[in-house]
Amino acid sequence: MQTTDTIFMVRPFSFRSNEETAVNNFFQSQEVNQDNIADLALAEFDNFTRLLKSAGIKIISLQDQGLKNTPDSIFPNNVISFQPNQVILYPMFAKNRRLERSLNYLGQLENLGYHFDKVIDYSIYEDQNKFLEGTGVLILDHTYRIAYCAISDRSNLELLNIYCEDQQYKPISFHAEQTVHGKLLPIYHSNVMMSIGTNFCLICMETIKSEDEKNMLLQSFSNTRKEVIEISEDQMNHFAGNILEVKNREQEPIICMSTQAFESLNEEQIKQLEKFGAILHAPLYTIEKYGGGSARCMMAELFHQ
């Protein structure tokens, strides 16, 4: 099952640009934070969740109580992921992001009736400076059990292989780079340049410089019957790659993204996407500018029994 109708989200307490992640997240603005940035982000979050609920998507929204220094708690999909009867915790690059594991997500979910028998915790690899930041770096084709991953400081190849062996997925790793002040630098998370849906793959091929790696990916997409929708690096910089296919209560596919992402797409790309689901978008400008992430980063898919 590629998609779910239940999404886990975390309502932020004190959102701001995280100085610890800015060192290799080049989507984050380096501007000094505005005084009202937390309030603006909260308004965007609440509007987005209202929109998702009105489309018939089940949202489990937990409140960050502000007990820890967790400016990025709004992006839970990096820290935790869910499979039927199983939870996975991930090793995080930024030390203050590791604090998000202390927010008791599992206890709160248990109180809401979501029980998971098995917890796999890869956070021990933080002691070795090895990181694998959840579905930020893992683009999972659940149907064909393939884990695509762009290698960066946030995605260790050894851990990718360990994850895939544990979960019985096939690893497909590659290198994706973006232009930063005239230099090519690794993209911090695969999910800003690539998204896998049930029947499509949206991807920024411009960021993959190796022809062999491009051919490897295209062959895999062909083998798994995915229609490829290409976006440009400029569109990627407007978060057009940071999208997620979900289902509503009627099991109809919906493709979620930000308004900035939607407005960067051309008419043909929109038509291609709409073949695979209705497009839902919301303004997330503050979260995108200061957090360096967008709609997909805010949504952890809750697969459960």
Side-chain angles (χ1 to χ4, degrees):
M1 177 171 48
Q2 180 63 26
T3 60
T4 179
D5 60 4
T6 307
I7 299 297
F8 172 74
M9 301 179 74
V10 176
R11 192 171 187 264
F13 180 85
S14 55
F15 176 85
R16 69 172 196 276
S17 183
N18 186 350
E19 64 285 349
E20 293 188 19
T21 58
V23 295
N24 54 23
N25 178 349
F26 305 113
F27 292 80
Q28 276 181 253
S29 171
Q30 298 300 308
E31 293 179 24
V32 176
N33 287 345
Q34 301 171 4
D35 291 338
N36 61 343
I37 182 176
D39 291 337
L40 290 170
L42 199 56
E44 290 176 353
F45 177 91
D46 288 342
N47 178 63
F48 187 33
T49 54
R50 278 195 299 268
L51 193 63
L52 292 167
K53 290 176 183 177
S54 69
I57 300 161
K58 186 173 184 180
I59 302 298
I60 306 298
S61 178
L62 302 185
Q63 175 67 58
D64 182 344
Q65 300 294 331
L67 302 177
K68 303 282 186 177
N69 174 28
T70 51
D72 278 338
S73 60
I74 198 170
F75 302 134
N77 79 308
N78 306 143
V79 177
I80 192 168
S81 73
F82 306 91
Q83 299 284 6
N85 218 26
Q86 176 179 279
V87 173
I88 304 173
L89 301 173
Y90 295 95
M92 302 299 295
F93 171 83
K95 290 182 179 179
N96 61 12
R97 293 221 62 188
R98 302 171 191 178
L99 299 174
E100 293 172 38
R101 291 193 297 268
S102 66
L103 299 181
N104 192 29
Y105 295 150
L106 295 184
Q108 294 184 71
L109 286 169
E110 184 85 33
N111 290 338
L112 294 171
Y114 293 91
H115 176 74
F116 299 90
D117 286 337
K118 187 176 183 182
V119 177
I120 298 178
D121 188 352
Y122 294 114
S123 64
I124 56 170
Y125 289 98
E126 290 166 349
D127 294 337
Q128 301 175 38
N129 288 317
K130 295 175 181 176
F131 312 110
L132 191 73
E133 297 197 338
T135 54
V137 298
L138 297 166
I139 310 299
L140 300 174
D141 184 336
H142 297 295
T143 306
Y144 290 91
R145 303 196 74 78
I146 297 172
Y148 298 95
C149 182
I151 300 303
S152 72
D153 291 341
R154 314 277 194 97
S155 53
N156 178 273
L157 182 59
E158 178 189 344
L159 286 193
L160 169 65
N161 289 328
I162 290 171
Y163 169 91
C164 287
E165 185 174 342
D166 290 347
Q167 297 297 315
Q168 296 185 311
Y169 276 63
K170 174 186 176 182
I172 296 184
S173 62
F174 57 95
H175 298 83
E177 298 173 313
Q178 66 187 123
T179 306
V180 183
H181 304 307
K183 295 181 179 179
L184 287 175
L185 297 174
I187 293 175
Y188 82 111
H189 277 169
S190 319
N191 75 1
V192 293
M193 53 75 62
M194 178 181 178
S195 175
I196 288 283
T198 305
N199 295 301
F200 72 89
C201 173
L202 182 141
I203 187 168
C204 182
M205 278 293 189
E206 287 179 22
T207 63
I208 303 168
K209 308 307 177 183
S210 163
E211 291 300 320
D212 287 343
E213 290 184 347
K214 283 183 182 179
N215 291 333
M216 171 185 66
L217 288 168
L218 289 171
Q219 186 61 58
S220 182
F221 301 150
S222 175
N223 292 344
T224 56
R225 300 177 177 84
K226 298 289 189 290
E227 180 172 324
V228 177
I229 304 169
E230 287 202 41
I231 58 171
S232 67
E233 183 169 353
D234 181 65
Q235 290 173 319
M236 178 192 74
N237 289 334
H238 289 85
F239 295 98
N242 198 238
I243 70 175
L244 182 66
E245 178 191 340
V246 299
K247 294 183 291 193
N248 63 14
R249 65 174 70 91
E250 283 79 35
Q251 304 301 294
E252 299 165 332
I254 297 176
I255 300 169
C256 304
M257 64 183 69
S258 73
T259 297
Q260 179 181 188
F262 178 77
E263 291 179 347
S264 77
L265 297 173
N266 62 41
E267 199 172 311
E268 180 57 34
Q269 291 166 325
I270 291 171
K271 283 181 180 178
Q272 281 182 282
L273 271 176
E274 285 180 333
K275 290 191 298 185
F276 304 109
I279 295 176
L280 178 153
H281 63 88
L284 301 171
Y285 297 103
T286 303
I287 294 166
E288 290 170 328
K289 180 175 182 178
Y290 293 102
S294 188
R296 195 280 172 264
C297 298
M298 298 166 64
M299 306 169 73
E301 300 136 290
L302 190 53
F303 296 95
H304 56 93
Q305 298 286 29

